[in-house]
Amino acid sequence: MYKFGVIGPGAVGSVIGESLQNSGYHVTFIGRKEGDVCIERVDKPENTTFPVEAIFEVDTVFDYLFITVKGTQLEGIMPYLDKLTHESTVCILCQNGYGQLDKFQIPGDVYQAVVYISGQKKGNVVTHFRDRILILPENTVTKKLTEVVAATNLDIQLRANYQNEIWYKLIVNVAINSVTALSRNTALILQEEKVQNLCKKLIQEGVEIAAAEGVYFQEKITEEIMQIYAGYPSQMGTSMYYDMINDQAMEVDYIQGFLYAKSKEHDLDTPCLDTVYSLLLASEMKG
Ligand code: NDP
């Protein structure tokens, strides 16, 4: 029987672990320290609690390892990867942004999933709002993974045009995360036309950078993404907004920072991105 590990028992990791555990798979929830994590759903009375083991104490070697810490927390788990993996362990990095895979130096395969699991962790309680979708590039390793987890309700989708999925999510994230974090305000701000216009410009700059990287979107993507934003409840925050108001590290490096680096590499003119990226960096500076 395959051994599954989930490093980072937060909103995304706990839901993945739950899917595996509920279908009888052998899964270890691996956190910073020993404890437990409880998953709740707004419309369902029953909660489920899973034990969490401390990463420095786990001595299991896993066949499949889901890495679900935030991009800003990646450095903290790197020293443990050697002991948790063998030469054909498959690691699935479940994070927003792009460019993180360059950090991995382990013998097995590492793929980044585009994550559509919506949830939030407070204390040791994860509220799961919706979805259990992970999108991965299509190859023999990921095909086998889908077969291995076929009995679970984890919806792993394989895509030949995976790069489009990565870039689409990056572009969705860059506008809404930047404006909510910098204004320290929720999706409510989309009611202001000037904020809508800024979002549209950020989306268009993202589309331009994607095109320079050989990933093309149709013009209607801007309206499509604005429609997605329009569907957000006005009190909804984004992950960067919550990190900003809670004074926690934001995943700027792999979203705005990644796009900024690509923009410079291709010598593009992206004034809105350059501005929001500079201000986000400035907001994290400490004396
Ligand atoms: P969370 O903060 O909910 O979860 C991260 C978990 O990792 C926490 O439980 C944290 O522990 C744990 N962790 C941190 N450092 C370590 C370490 N060194 N060893 C072991 N565990 C550690 O984040 P999310 O699940 O929300 O986000 C994960 C990724 O998924 C991010 O890239 C995010 O952008 C992306 N994403 C999130 C979505 C969402 O709806 N939440 C939607 C789509 C993508 P502790 O609790 O102690 O801090």
Side-chain angles (χ1 to χ4, degrees), residues 4 64 66 92 136 141-149 156:
F4 292 86
Y64 289 96
F66 290 87
I92 307 293
L136 285 167
V141 176
T142 55
K143 263 188 200 148
K144 183 171 171 205
L145 170 63
T146 58
E147 287 158 19
V148 167
V149 302
I156 298 188

Side-chain angles (χ1 to χ4, degrees), residues 2 17 42 46 52 73 89 120 138 146 189 248:
Y2 293 108
V42 180
E46 70 277 9
V52 173
Q73 299 165 330
T89 299
Q120 205 183 338
E138 186 171 22
T146 58
I189 59 173
Q248 281 167 355

Side-chain angles (χ1 to χ4, degrees), residues 8-12 31-32 68-69 73 94-96 117-119 121 251:
V12 169
R32 255 194 272 257
T68 59
V69 297
Q73 299 165 330
C94 302
Q95 283 181 349
N96 276 330
I117 293 171
S118 170
K121 187 178 192 186
E251 292 179 300

